[in-house]
Amino acid sequence: MRIGIVTGEYPPMEGGVGAYSAILAERLTQQGHQVYVLSSTAAHASHPKITVDASIHRWSPGALRMIRQWTRTNHLDVISLQFQTAAYQMSPYVHFLPETVHPIPLVTTFHDLRVPYLFPKAGKLRNWIVMRLARASDGVITTNHEDLEQVTHLPCTAMIPIGSNILPILPDTFDREAHRERLGISAGEFVIGFFGLINRSKGVETLLETAAILRADAVPVRVLFIGGTAGSSDPTNLSYIAEINSRIDRLDLENIVIRTGYVDEVQVAAALRSIDGIAFPFRDGVSYRRGSLMAALQYGCAIITTPPVVPNPDLVDGENMLFHPVEDARGLAAHCRRLYHDADLQAKLSAGALVLARRFEWDTIARETAAFLQKAAGVSV
């Protein structure tokens, strides 16, 4: 097929949707499809067989006209819209893309169906405009169980989870202790990691309160923020990071916090292999929508997180992760103490994470996505 991918972010822009779109485009290309990407002006082509049009300055009515011309110029069979509100500068216009490109079929992958912020007092309009896009699309893909529940009434839907956007395989010669030393970690210190963009839904305050509790209990704890930047799409993350920095100062945690800043994939992989456990105190529960979770699974991290909002039989407390209540720093601290004192539990959770990670192979994700695009578009290949 000739597949067009429309995405608000794309590498080198920081963000999970952009990383997902790039990996999906590459794997679809490897499977024999011709892929065209349209994104923001900060995007760049990085694959010789993928055409990237980085011409969108603002996601305005003018952008819709540009997209319509792009679809015709490239004679597309189907369009895959990678949707997350923040990636499109909170613009309402992208919600009207299905009508803009008609009769070319459009399938929307919702990376997050939670009601977006549009403007003050938007009220019911926020939910209406997102569901309008879902109804107008020829097909809808969700990445997690929570979002699937909201669209099961539509005629053409599927759940296809995301994979890890951190792909490097570390060599057998990787020296974990040497890398810990390079990060400034001393022998015997217990390192809790946090990976991903920092925003209000991630519950970072809970992690910091936990660190203060552990320190008071004489646990030699360090907190390693891997990546941990604001990202390229959501400006509200900057103000939240300022709040987090203030909290670190108030709790006097600066001497136990390590920040890698934005680093390449190899350095992320090395950091994930160097921690003793990773904390995801999500306010909205653990979910397959989280690319950071997928990366932690891939690298066999011992995961501590909050329970899923929608039951997920794959996620088993005590087998492939540990659950603690939302915004419960003492509960998170209790699990961290268990990991600190119990190397066998660390190993058990690590092994469970690696088993679960097999469900999220990128080649499978690409094949399932292509099959759904073909079904929704009625294309014969």
Side-chain angles (χ1 to χ4, degrees):
M1 291 183 291
R2 298 173 68 86
I3 301 171
I5 295 178
V6 176
T7 175
E9 34 178 69
Y10 197 78
M13 299 171 69
E14 298 176 35
V17 175
Y20 169 94
S21 299
I23 298 170
L24 178 64
E26 180 180 340
R27 297 306 170 93
L28 289 171
T29 299
Q30 291 174 358
Q31 294 175 10
H33 304 285
Q34 184 66 52
V35 179
Y36 301 83
V37 175
L38 186 140
S39 189
S40 303
T41 53
H44 297 299
S46 58
H47 191 286
K49 294 185 178 181
I50 298 173
T51 302
V52 177
D53 184 337
S55 58
I56 305 297
H57 292 274
R58 294 177 58 249
W59 295 94
S60 62
L64 296 187
R65 292 190 292 271
M66 293 171 66
I67 295 171
R68 182 169 56 206
Q69 183 58 50
W70 170 77
T71 63
R72 295 172 179 174
T73 299
N74 293 301
H75 307 289
L76 300 178
D77 293 315
V78 62
I79 297 168
S80 172
L81 173 64
Q82 303 299 322
F83 184 80
Q84 187 182 56
T85 305
Y88 295 94
Q89 304 163 343
M90 306 295 182
S91 169
Y93 299 107
V94 71
H95 298 82
F96 299 88
L97 192 56
E99 293 88 348
T100 300
V101 300
H102 184 78
I104 298 173
L106 180 142
V107 170
T108 300
T109 295
F110 285 97
H111 290 265
D112 191 345
L113 256 175
R114 289 173 297 180
V115 176
Y117 175 85
L118 294 177
F119 52 84
K121 300 182 181 180
K124 294 180 180 180
L125 175 62
R126 294 177 294 180
N127 185 62
W128 173 86
I129 199 168
V130 171
M131 293 310 299
R132 182 197 181 284
L133 171 59
R135 288 190 296 269
S137 299
D138 295 277
V140 169
I141 296 172
T142 67
T143 64
N144 57 86
H145 298 80
E146 300 93 321
D147 290 347
L148 182 64
E149 284 197 343
Q150 297 187 52
V151 298
T152 51
H153 64 285
L154 297 177
C156 188
T157 62
M159 190 192 84
I160 304 176
I162 63 176
S164 170
N165 57 21
I166 307 300
L167 301 179
I169 299 174
L170 294 176
D172 293 337
T173 56
F174 173 73
D175 189 331
R176 181 176 185 269
E177 295 307 316
H179 193 75
R180 284 169 66 98
E181 186 176 342
R182 284 194 291 272
L183 289 170
I185 300 165
S186 300
E189 289 186 322
F190 178 69
V191 183
I192 292 295
F194 175 90
F195 172 53
L197 302 182
I198 291 181
N199 62 48
R200 203 169 293 278
S201 71
K202 303 289 183 71
V204 180
E205 300 98 324
T206 302
L207 173 57
L208 297 178
E209 297 288 346
T210 293
I213 293 170
L214 292 172
R215 183 182 59 183
D217 291 345
V219 175
V221 65
R222 301 294 298 271
V223 178
L224 177 62
F225 284 100
I226 307 166
T229 62
S232 300
S233 294
D234 190 346
T236 64
N237 291 349
L238 292 172
S239 60
Y240 179 66
I241 288 178
E243 294 177 29
I244 292 302
N245 290 336
S246 295
R247 189 174 293 256
I248 289 172
D249 290 340
R250 187 165 69 253
L251 294 172
D252 191 26
L253 297 177
E254 189 61 43
N255 62 331
I256 69 171
V257 169
I258 304 170
R259 301 174 175 90
T260 68
Y262 183 72
V263 291
D264 64 28
E265 292 184 350
V266 174
Q267 293 300 308
V268 171
L272 289 171
R273 286 281 300 275
S274 299
I275 57 181
D276 298 299
I278 192 163
F280 293 126
F282 301 131
R283 284 196 169 97
D284 49 0
V286 65
S287 168
Y288 283 168
R289 70 164 62 98
R290 301 291 191 180
S292 53
L293 171 69
M294 299 306 177
L297 291 172
Q298 177 180 314
Y299 289 96
C301 297
I303 299 168
I304 310 174
T305 187
T306 51
V309 173
V310 174
N312 183 338
D314 294 339
L315 309 182
V316 182
D317 189 18
E319 294 293 328
N320 48 34
M321 56 191 65
L322 297 175
F323 292 146
H324 69 89
V326 174
E327 297 184 347
D328 182 0
R330 294 199 173 276
L332 176 53
H335 284 324
C336 288
R337 282 192 214 95
R338 290 177 64 193
L339 288 185
Y340 174 58
H341 292 292
D342 191 343
D344 289 340
L345 178 59
Q346 280 190 42
K348 179 181 180 180
L349 294 176
S350 175
L354 290 171
V355 170
L356 182 55
R358 297 172 191 162
R359 293 177 175 264
F360 311 108
E361 296 290 340
W362 272 105
D363 287 339
T364 301
I365 292 168
R367 280 194 298 270
E368 292 181 357
T369 300
F372 186 79
L373 293 175
Q374 180 185 352
K375 173 186 174 183
V379 177
S380 297
V381 294

